[in-house]
Amino acid sequence: MFVFSDPALLHAVLAAHQRGVKVWVMLNAARRSGEDDNKAVRRALAKAGVQVTDSNPQFGITHEKSMVADDRVAFVKSLNWATKNLTETRDYAIATTHRREVGEIVDCFESDWHRRDFKPGDSAHLIWCPNGGRERIARFIDEAKHTLFVQNERYQDQVIIERLVRARTRGVKIHLMARPPHSLKKEKIVEGVGGLRIMDDVGIKIHKLKHLKLHGKMLLADGSRAIVGSINLAPGSFDDRRELAIEIHDSDVVEGLHKVARHDWKHSQPLDLSDEGLFADLEKHGGGAEKLVLRADHHHAKKHPGKHASPS
């Protein structure tokens, strides 16, 4: 788990341990900034006698969110075990009893626990990073024929952006949801906004949620197949992080995702990716417009006299 902090889930894990269930928990270690989201839970689990360790240091971050119960059912999720992901964000979790998929998650967990290489190979059922995740998602987009719903926080990977542009140019109707530009880290604004504007320029509709924060990572093609998991559409997720997603063809599950996607689109609004719209969004939430070489129009210049004047 990338972040584990929800008290109710901690209570459930401790209760399982107390009734004799053998529990192993692997948590992302402190981030490069030194921030450790899991410090308190790690201490509580260890104190109770639960086997807990930090994730494999081979990866910059372990962003995977998964669970296996009794070697029978596995959960693949976009959501962290944090209270906000259970109450404030659009997130997804998929349960699978497919023996091969459950086995892959167990094999990866044990490999990371013991610091061994995990090589799922080209025949893997699940989508793993850094083992071919970019190729699997690119192929999923390439195979879309009529419609694509895409929900992701960030669109920074040039290969994936190119595939989405090509899908649009061959006539696929794309409904894409993203977080607003001000939510990007300042060092990622250029590539993040650049990707959105490229897609906007070719006619891809780009919206943001009105009443929820978007944290889910979901692709839905032609109303018949979907991908759900932890993977952001960014180079770091594909190349440097432990990530996991699952491709789904089960008609009932896909229809449920389709229903949510249509609901979210209905309760969303277009992202304003014009110079004026971006300037207003970024300046309202702490700046960053200068990285995009944006200049205030007359309306903004009046609000910020002398601060953002265009050169004469």
Side-chain angles (χ1 to χ4, degrees):
M1 187 59 59
F2 176 57
V3 176
F4 184 178
S5 58
D6 181 73
L9 289 171
L10 174 60
H11 176 78
V13 170
L14 293 176
H17 171 70
Q18 289 164 4
R19 68 176 182 266
V21 176
K22 294 180 180 179
V23 181
W24 293 268
V25 178
M26 189 156 36
L27 300 173
N28 187 66
R31 307 188 196 199
R32 291 189 181 98
S33 64
E35 182 182 1
D36 189 347
D37 304 279
N38 301 314
K39 185 176 181 179
V41 162
R42 189 184 293 107
R43 185 185 303 118
L45 291 170
K47 183 178 179 181
V50 174
Q51 296 193 66
V52 56
T53 191
D54 286 343
S55 52
N56 194 337
Q58 175 183 348
F59 309 106
I61 283 175
T62 288
H63 197 236
E64 176 184 346
K65 307 97 164 47
S66 67
M67 177 175 67
V68 174
D70 296 331
D71 288 328
R72 185 185 63 82
V73 58
F75 293 77
V76 179
K77 311 170 226 184
S78 67
L79 60 96
N80 293 301
W81 279 13
T83 305
K84 68 178 181 180
N85 291 118
L86 303 168
T87 58
E88 301 175 10
T89 63
R90 167 62 72 223
D91 264 302
Y92 299 95
I94 299 294
T96 177
T97 56
H98 190 288
R99 181 181 295 181
R100 179 79 173 273
E101 293 169 347
V102 174
E104 283 183 22
I105 296 175
V106 171
D107 288 348
C108 179
F109 186 94
E110 292 182 347
S111 294
D112 284 350
W113 186 279
H114 296 290
R115 309 314 195 221
R116 299 192 301 255
D117 285 343
F118 171 67
K119 297 179 180 179
D122 295 338
S123 62
H125 275 227
L126 299 172
I127 302 171
W128 295 98
C129 296
N131 303 92
R134 180 185 283 111
E135 290 83 355
R136 288 282 299 274
I137 291 178
R139 186 164 70 243
F140 181 93
I141 295 168
D142 290 345
E143 292 172 354
K145 294 179 173 61
H146 307 291
T147 61
L148 267 173
F149 283 89
V150 187
Q151 294 186 349
N152 208 280
E153 291 180 85
R154 295 181 279 142
Y155 298 83
Q156 297 167 344
D157 189 79
Q158 293 302 308
V159 172
I160 300 303
I161 291 168
E162 175 196 359
R163 290 311 208 280
L164 289 167
V165 167
R166 290 187 175 194
R168 176 68 185 88
T169 57
R170 68 174 183 268
V172 177
K173 187 176 183 180
I174 301 177
H175 296 81
L176 187 147
M177 302 197 75
R179 294 278 292 273
H182 72 258
S183 67
L184 295 168
K185 294 179 181 178
K186 286 192 175 181
E187 64 269 22
K188 300 294 185 180
I189 283 178
V190 171
E191 60 194 89
V193 172
L196 291 174
R197 294 184 98 179
I198 288 169
M199 293 187 289
D200 182 60
D201 284 345
V202 300
I204 294 175
K205 295 180 179 180
I206 304 173
H207 283 206
K208 61 180 179 179
L209 276 171
K210 285 183 180 178
H211 305 301
L212 286 172
K213 292 181 180 178
L214 177 62
H215 184 257
K217 302 92 170 64
M218 189 266 286
L219 297 93
L220 175 65
D222 301 325
S224 62
R225 56 198 179 93
I227 288 176
V228 168
S230 67
I231 304 170
N232 284 311
L233 302 179
S237 288
F238 289 123
D239 301 325
D240 188 49
R241 297 182 173 189
R242 168 65 76 215
E243 304 271 14
L244 171 62
I246 184 170
E247 184 169 341
I248 310 123
H249 296 260
D250 182 281
S251 59
D252 290 339
V253 177
V254 172
E255 176 52 36
L257 292 169
H258 201 183
K259 183 178 180 180
V260 172
R262 293 193 302 264
H263 172 274
D264 285 351
W265 193 258
K266 183 178 179 180
H267 296 87
S268 67
Q269 61 190 45
L271 268 179
D272 186 350
L273 295 168
S274 68
D275 281 9
E276 293 79 11
L278 287 168
F279 188 93
D281 177 70
L282 293 171
E283 291 301 290
K284 180 180 178 181
H285 295 93
E290 71 283 351
K291 290 183 175 290
L292 298 172
V293 200
L294 298 176
R295 297 178 298 183
D297 61 14
H298 294 302
H299 174 72
H300 290 113
K302 289 177 182 177
K303 285 191 173 183
H304 307 276
K307 186 177 179 182
H308 299 289
S310 299
S312 57

